[in-house]
């Protein structure tokens, strides 16, 4: 899945998938998991047959790489918790990144969502060794991290995540992201699905950036975006539903 997205045309650039590659031109599905699902959620995401499994990467105070979406647990920042302390505070086990990558293995592509700066080299090297070359895509909100990864791992596909909340600084810039995408060297844009409905998806397509879309859980939106040639990867909490819709669309297209 480390296939270069290749910019220039606004249409879909399908990424190679893991165990069950989508047909050329089909939108790939990335299985997003929530913190409360723990290791069981990771196993279920892999078992769903999704093309990618997304893991959120953070580092604890003692340097341990963990899979955790939120910045805090029980109100305490992970950056101030050792891993043993994190396990005490969390209501259920918090997976290590190494554990998550072993679960993914060669059964799906690894989608690494880097939540903070500083873990790029370690986690990408670990993912390449565990999951194999050509089975990796990275997302991050930090343009500097995109540039760093492209400098040291030029063959890794990297998407710049776009879509801050209305209370966050810089939100207005998300409505015109192309300049930042180009300056960072990103291969793709990872858009909040709400932005896609405001014309930002069209901007990215016209600029030649394939799009990953997050987090799409409503069935009508899944149908819409799975059939949109500008969307390369659909990220969802419900991968089995998305895969079923994709298969139905594929069967319908064969009949026509």
């Amino acid at each position: 899945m480390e296939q270069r997205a290749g910019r220039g045309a606004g249409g879909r650039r399908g990424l190679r998938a893991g165990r069950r590659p989508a047909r050329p031109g089909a939108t790939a599905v990335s299985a997003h998991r929530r913190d409360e699902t723990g290791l069981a959620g990771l196993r279920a995401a892999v078992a769903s047959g999704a093309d990618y499994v997304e893991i959120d990467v953070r580092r604890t105070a003692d340097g341990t790489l963990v899979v955790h979406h939120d910045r805090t647990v029980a109100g305490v920042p992970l950056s101030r918790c050792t891993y043993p302390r994190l396990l005490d505070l969390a209501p259920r086990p918090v997976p290590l990144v190494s554990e998550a990558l072993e679960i993914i293995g060669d059964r799906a592509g690894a989608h690494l969502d880097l939540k903070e700066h500083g873990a790029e080299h370690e986690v990408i090297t670990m993912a390449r060794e565990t999951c194999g070359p050509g089975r990796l895509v990275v997302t991050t909100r930090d343009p500097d991290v995109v540039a760093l990864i492209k400098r040291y791992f030029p063959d890794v596909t990297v998407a710049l995540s776009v879509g801050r909340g209305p209370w966050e600084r810089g939100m207005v810039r998300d409505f015109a992201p192309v300049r930042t995408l180009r300056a960072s060297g990103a291969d793709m844009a990872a858009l909040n699905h709400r932005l896609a409905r405001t014309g930002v998806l069209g901007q990215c397509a016209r600029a030649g950036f394939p799009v990953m879309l997050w987090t799409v859980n409503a069935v009508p939106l899944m149908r819409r975006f799975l059939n949109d040639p500008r969307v390369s990867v659909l990220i969802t909490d419900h991968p089995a539903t998305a895969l079923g819709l994709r298969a139905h669309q594929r069967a319908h297209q064969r009949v026509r």
Side-chain angles (χ1 to χ4, degrees), residues 75-89:
V76 180
L78 267 68
S79 60
R80 297 182 182 178
C81 291
T82 63
Y83 184 59
R85 175 62 173 156
L86 173 60
L87 295 179
D88 288 339
L89 292 172

Side-chain angles (χ1 to χ4, degrees), residues 181-214:
L181 286 163
R182 287 176 174 153
S184 70
D187 300 296
M188 307 178 73
L191 300 182
N192 183 301
H193 70 84
R194 295 182 181 88
L195 281 177
R197 292 180 280 165
T198 65
V200 178
L201 176 58
Q203 289 180 42
C204 292
R206 288 190 294 274
F209 285 97
V211 168
M212 304 176 72
L213 209 60
W214 53 273

